[in-house]
């Protein structure tokens, strides 16, 4: 689930459109494929109506995402039966899990993504959260930028046609993401209904520093000799003795860590790491979790060497790292939305029962090629590609510039705040 949740915060791929307007004669790329009118309701989430164009947009995005990822795996011979060797096309009917084909899995992912954003909009409405003036300006500025980048209003209209959404729905796409950003603000605002108290951030992250005496070469990973390892152990014991005898453990720890620690990431993280569960090796995380802020562990042995760990006060660390604090608040909000998803009353139109996402996407790509053929003939394939991008780029690329305000911590971040550099995480057992 985290994969698409990170993507939906970055790519704005769900519109929650109630009363998007009526079309006397349904049309559009998705209608040509499915025969379902763009504004027809195909899902409801606690009464929030989802139009077909939004649902099919999400379907196309998920197919595009998997097509790209499987293409990367295929380049390394790791895609199994999911990619056809002969032509490199995706085998949507291949088993993806024990009881699902890839196409069936995409269908479940689409339903989950749609439900997530519907629940988010419902919560915003309950709390009275509406778009701010800054949000409205961002939407207007994004539209103007896209018109300029694409080459004018006609090109912009063509772009929306290829995406399969109208202007109102496309605006709603951006609004949903911005509302999530505004609700994230509330989790940081004391007294709000979504406020996350300082002491509750411990649910999502730990703040710890360590002294690492490496038992392997930190550059190559090669194990040190037995004699060198024994010397490292003795040094660790000497340092621990000093700390245990100190009246100011925190100050001394910092001094000793600066002098002795062999963590390659220490220069970038001189006071330690704020990390989420699963970031460090288990023995490190278990030892840190057993400490109170200000306490020091015994000698903890991992594959990387000998650690002495100082648990730090998370609230102090977050006070100096607002980006990480916001990412954790966003993770908290995501958890609340997931809870509401589990409780939501979701109905799905019978017209979607026979939908095969893989077949749908294959036809969608063919329709795009047909739409672009005149431009290809007039300007050449390279020129057309520059103006419109490929099918995957349209569903996963341009919309990224259309109002994404929630990329803190890079929420591919699935909203997780994996603070600290990669080197720091690796030296600590990652």
């Amino acid at each position: 689930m985290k994969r698409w949740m990170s993507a939906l915060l970055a790519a704005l791929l769900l519109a929650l459109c109630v009363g998007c307007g009526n079309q006397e004669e349904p049309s559009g790329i998705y209608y040509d494929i499915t025969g379902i009118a763009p504004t027809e309701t195909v899902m409801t989430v606690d009464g929030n109506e989802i139009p077909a164009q939004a649902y099919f947009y999400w379907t196309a995005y998920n197919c595009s995402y998997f097509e790209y990822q499987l293409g990367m795996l295929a380049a390394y011979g790791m895609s199994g039966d999911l990619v056809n060797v002969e032509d490199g096309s995706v085998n949507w009917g291949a088993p993806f899990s024990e009881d699902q084909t890839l196409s069936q899995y995409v269908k479940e992912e689409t339903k989950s993504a749609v439900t997530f954003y519907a629940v988010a909009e419902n919560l915003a409405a309950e709390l009275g959260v509406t778009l701010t003036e800054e949000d409205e300006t961002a939407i207007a500025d994004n539209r103007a930028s896209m018109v300029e980048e694409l080459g004018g209003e006609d090109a912009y209209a063509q772009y929306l046609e290829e995406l399969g959404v109208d202007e109102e729905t496309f605006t709603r796409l951006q609004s949903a993401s911005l509302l999530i950003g505004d609700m994230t603000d509330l989790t940081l605002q004391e007294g709000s209904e979504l406020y996350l108290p300082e002491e509750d951030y411990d649910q999502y992250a730990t703040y710890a520093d360590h002294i690492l005496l490496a038992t392997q070469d930190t550059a190559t990973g090669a194990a040190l000799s037995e004699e060198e390892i024994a010397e490292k152990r003795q040094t660790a014991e000497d340092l621990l003795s000093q700390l245990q005898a100190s009246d100011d453990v925190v100050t001394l720890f910092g001094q000793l860590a600066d002098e002795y620690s062999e963590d390659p990431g220490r220069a970038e993280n001189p006071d330690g790491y704020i990390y989420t569960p699963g970031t460090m090796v288990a023995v490190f995380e278990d030892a840190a979790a057993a400490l109170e802020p200000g306490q020091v562990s015994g000698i903890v042995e991992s594959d990387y060497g000998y650690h002495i760990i100082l648990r730090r006060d998370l609230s102090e660390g977050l006070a100096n790292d607002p980006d990480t604090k916001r990412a954790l608040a966003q993770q908290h909000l995501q958890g609340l939305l997931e809870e509401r998803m589990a409780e939501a009353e979701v109905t799905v139109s019978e017209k979607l029962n026979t939908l095969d996402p893989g077949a749908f996407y294959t036809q969608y790509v063919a329709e795009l090629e047909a739409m672009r053929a005149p431009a290809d003939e007039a300007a050449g394939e390279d020129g057309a590609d520059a103006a419109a991008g490929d099918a995957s780029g349209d569903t996963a690329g341009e919309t990224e510039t259309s109002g994404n305000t929630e990329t803190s911590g890079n929420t591919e971040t699935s909203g997780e705040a994996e603070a600290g550099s990669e080197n720091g995480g690796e030296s600590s057992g990652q």
Side-chain angles (χ1 to χ4, degrees):
M1 185 175 288
K2 288 184 179 179
R3 193 275 305 162
W4 61 256
M5 285 193 180
S6 316
L8 79 178
L9 287 176
L12 316 173
L13 294 172
L14 171 66
L16 302 170
C17 185
V18 181
C20 289
N22 297 315
Q23 295 181 358
E24 293 182 3
E25 297 182 5
S27 62
I29 191 168
Y30 299 145
Y31 178 73
D32 292 343
I33 298 170
T34 67
I36 301 176
T39 59
E40 180 176 340
T41 298
V42 294
M43 272 185 66
T44 62
V45 181
D46 289 334
N48 194 339
E49 297 180 351
I50 311 302
Q53 60 185 309
Y55 180 89
F56 292 133
Y57 185 32
W58 246 120
T59 302
Y61 169 76
N62 277 317
C63 287
S64 170
Y65 173 86
F66 278 101
E67 182 180 55
Y68 175 78
Q69 295 296 328
L70 290 171
M72 297 289 287
L73 292 175
Y76 294 95
M78 299 170 60
S79 60
D81 296 331
L82 294 172
V83 175
N84 297 310
V85 178
E86 295 79 9
D87 58 6
S89 63
V90 175
N91 183 3
W92 299 103
F96 185 74
S97 64
E98 195 170 300
D99 57 353
Q100 283 184 317
T101 64
L102 175 59
S103 196
Q104 289 169 336
Y105 180 75
V106 168
K107 197 169 187 176
E108 289 299 314
E109 287 285 278
T110 299
K111 181 181 177 182
S112 295
V114 170
T115 302
F116 178 84
Y117 257 129
V119 162
E121 182 165 285
N122 290 345
L123 178 58
E126 291 174 20
L127 297 173
V129 176
T130 58
L131 295 180
T132 65
E133 184 176 341
E134 183 179 357
D135 293 336
E136 298 282 6
T137 299
I139 291 173
D141 288 347
N142 281 329
R143 187 190 188 285
S145 295
M146 293 185 69
V147 168
E148 182 178 356
E149 290 171 8
L150 291 168
E153 289 288 347
D154 289 345
Y156 176 73
Q158 174 70 16
Y159 172 71
L160 294 185
E161 185 179 351
E162 292 181 359
L163 293 181
V165 297
D166 57 25
E167 178 93 44
E168 186 174 359
T169 295
F170 193 56
T171 299
R172 195 65 174 253
L173 294 171
Q174 301 170 73
S175 300
S177 179
L178 291 165
L179 288 173
I180 288 175
D182 294 336
M183 287 190 289
T184 300
D185 291 340
L186 291 182
T187 67
L188 297 163
Q189 182 179 316
E190 189 170 0
S192 80
E193 295 181 63
L194 294 178
Y195 178 64
L196 181 63
E198 295 292 332
E199 61 271 17
D200 289 348
Y201 281 86
D202 283 338
Q203 306 174 59
Y204 304 104
T206 302
Y207 185 24
D209 197 0
H210 74 146
I211 299 171
L212 171 66
L213 283 306
T215 56
Q216 59 179 229
D217 188 303
T218 56
T220 66
L224 301 182
S225 68
E226 292 184 5
E227 293 78 7
E228 290 173 311
I229 291 174
E231 290 178 4
K232 295 296 181 71
R233 176 75 191 199
Q234 184 58 57
T235 300
E237 291 176 353
D238 291 344
L239 297 179
L240 180 60
S241 295
Q242 294 182 52
L243 290 166
Q244 290 174 335
S246 175
D247 293 330
D248 188 354
V249 173
V250 173
T251 299
L252 179 59
F253 189 96
Q255 295 170 350
L256 295 178
D258 288 342
E259 183 176 355
Y260 290 96
S261 183
E262 297 169 323
D263 177 359
R266 183 158 189 82
E268 293 77 26
N269 301 275
D271 297 316
Y273 302 94
I274 299 174
Y275 61 88
T276 53
T279 305
M280 307 297 188
V281 291
V283 290
F284 184 102
E285 293 191 3
D286 290 346
L291 301 172
E292 295 295 329
Q295 286 186 331
V296 173
S297 72
I299 296 174
V300 178
E301 184 174 358
S302 77
D303 291 340
Y304 297 90
Y306 301 114
H307 310 257
I308 302 174
I309 302 168
L310 169 67
R311 177 76 176 266
R312 290 191 177 275
D313 187 326
L314 180 60
S315 62
E316 293 180 3
L318 293 177
N320 297 317
D321 192 348
D323 289 341
T324 296
K325 185 173 184 177
R326 182 175 180 82
L328 295 177
Q330 184 177 313
Q331 184 178 344
H332 171 69
L333 175 61
Q334 179 174 305
L336 295 179
L337 294 175
E338 289 176 357
E339 291 176 5
R340 293 173 69 96
M341 284 177 65
E343 300 169 355
E345 181 179 344
V346 180
T347 61
V348 181
S349 171
E350 293 181 356
K351 293 184 179 182
L352 297 181
N353 290 347
T354 58
L355 177 73
D356 182 301
F360 164 86
Y361 181 68
T362 300
Q363 189 172 349
Y364 171 63
V365 173
E367 293 278 347
L368 284 181
E369 292 174 350
M371 291 172 64
R372 294 168 179 168
D376 288 346
E377 294 174 2
E381 187 174 347
D382 290 342
D385 283 348
D390 61 20
S392 299
D394 279 337
T395 53
E398 288 289 352
T399 45
E400 199 168 16
T401 66
S402 304
N404 177 20
T405 60
E406 285 305 299
T407 56
S408 58
N410 193 2
T411 54
E412 172 67 343
T413 104
S414 57
E416 291 186 4
E418 298 193 347
S421 67
E422 288 183 11
N423 285 339
E426 289 175 358
S427 67
S428 298
Q430 180 67 347

